[in-house]
Amino acid sequence: MTTPILLDCDPGHDDAIALLLALASPELELLGVTTVAGNQTLDKTTANAIRVLDFIGRNDVAVAAGADRPLLRDVYVAAHVHGESGLDGPDLPPPQRAPSSEHAVEFLARTIRERAGAVTLVPTGPLTNVALLLALHPDARPERIVLMGGAVAEGNVTPAAEFNIWCDPEAAARVFASGIDITMIGLDVTHKALFMPEHEARLEGKVGELVRSLLSFYGNFHKQQYGWDGSPIHDAVAVAHVSHPDLVETKNRGVKIDTESELSRGRTLVDLWGRAQWEPNCHVGVDIDADAFLDLLVERLNTFA
Ligand code: RIB
Ligand code: CA
């Protein structure tokens, strides 16, 4: 029994690896890829999704471009992490095809309707497309959302907020208030599972080379910023949680998004101990079997070899 998923992403090095993992997971059926502005501008994140699919010969996988800016906030890209192209490191050719003519939100709605809602939506970028989907197509709700974003503890854009939520806090607030079964894979989990040189050494084939080249660039930021010798593959953890739910421990808690404060813009406030008695609306990732996740990622990436 495979799980149908839709990947809404902003490639981005870790999004690219998450996409590869999704396609190497027999437990999952990737129904399509939608893109959003985030790590880089929409044109670049869209091109990058197609470039990765071109690299593995998967021009059968639909790619639809979505929002080129947050609902309200200004565009802010993470070129300091992912480079000017959004996928600096490897020398990938330009995209061999254009994205679908269908807007990402329309693609998501149509695909979800076609599956009668039996789809897990995996957002790994800002939640703009997801908020638009809920607003424009209230009848086309996925049965589950497993998103990479947020943090119980410190953020990575500010001390308060993680990038995907910080970029578009208004979109995130709508998603977390939607009543849909949501799982939040945040920094508390992804920062515990760093892809280290010993993992890179185990990678095989041309996809292994591609991932090593991606990490050679992406790792620079984590070395300089955190002093780490490895990198968190944030978005791949969200994908792995769908195929292997036991890897990440979650707690069902109330989560609210700060859209008011400038200082704490985009903070995911998690009522972890129930002190606020907020209605639980999210399965919050609190721990991970890092070795099992990293071994799974190496094993699955090597299936392309
Ligand atoms: O904070 C990490 C998240 O922001 C990841 O999804 C990364 O790709 C960026 O989108
Ligand atoms: Ca991302």
Side-chain angles (χ1 to χ4, degrees), residues 10 14-15 39 82 124-125 148 156 162-164 187 234-235:
D10 63 333
D14 55 326
D15 304 75
N39 285 321
H82 300 276
T124 62
M148 193 280 142
N156 61 357
E162 177 279 327
F163 180 83
N164 288 337
L187 298 176
H234 304 283
D235 299 333

Side-chain angles (χ1 to χ4, degrees), residues 246-263:
D246 295 340
L247 292 178
V248 171
E249 179 192 351
T250 64
K251 292 183 186 294
N252 192 20
R253 295 292 185 268
V255 179
K256 296 179 188 251
I257 312 298
D258 189 337
T259 60
E260 303 303 322
S261 154
E262 264 318 294
L263 197 56

Side-chain angles (χ1 to χ4, degrees), residues 13 47-48 50-52 54-56 82 85-96 206-217:
H13 291 67
N48 290 336
I50 297 172
R51 293 166 76 199
V52 171
D54 288 343
F55 186 80
I56 55 171
H82 300 276
S85 74
L87 213 55
D88 281 20
D91 184 16
L92 283 173
Q96 300 303 300
K206 69 169 197 169
V207 167
E209 282 307 315
L210 171 66
V211 172
R212 267 194 284 272
S213 181
L214 286 168
L215 294 177
S216 74
F217 181 88

Side-chain angles (χ1 to χ4, degrees), residues 92-106:
L92 283 173
Q96 300 303 300
R97 58 175 159 132
S100 162
S101 57
E102 193 174 20
H103 189 280
V105 173
E106 301 310 311

Side-chain angles (χ1 to χ4, degrees), residues 158-221:
T158 70
E162 177 279 327
F163 180 83
N164 288 337
I165 311 299
W166 180 89
C167 275
D168 198 338
E170 286 74 23
R174 283 159 176 76
V175 172
F176 278 80
S178 68
I180 294 173
D181 176 355
I182 293 176
T183 296
M184 177 182 112
I185 303 294
L187 298 176
D188 321 275
V189 163
T190 64
H191 278 178
K192 288 182 180 175
L194 303 184
F195 203 89
M196 304 296 283
E198 55 263 33
H199 300 110
E200 292 187 37
R202 291 164 49 191
L203 295 173
E204 301 165 359
K206 69 169 197 169
V207 167
E209 282 307 315
L210 171 66
V211 172
R212 267 194 284 272
S213 181
L214 286 168
L215 294 177
S216 74
F217 181 88
Y218 183 54
N220 294 333
F221 168 74

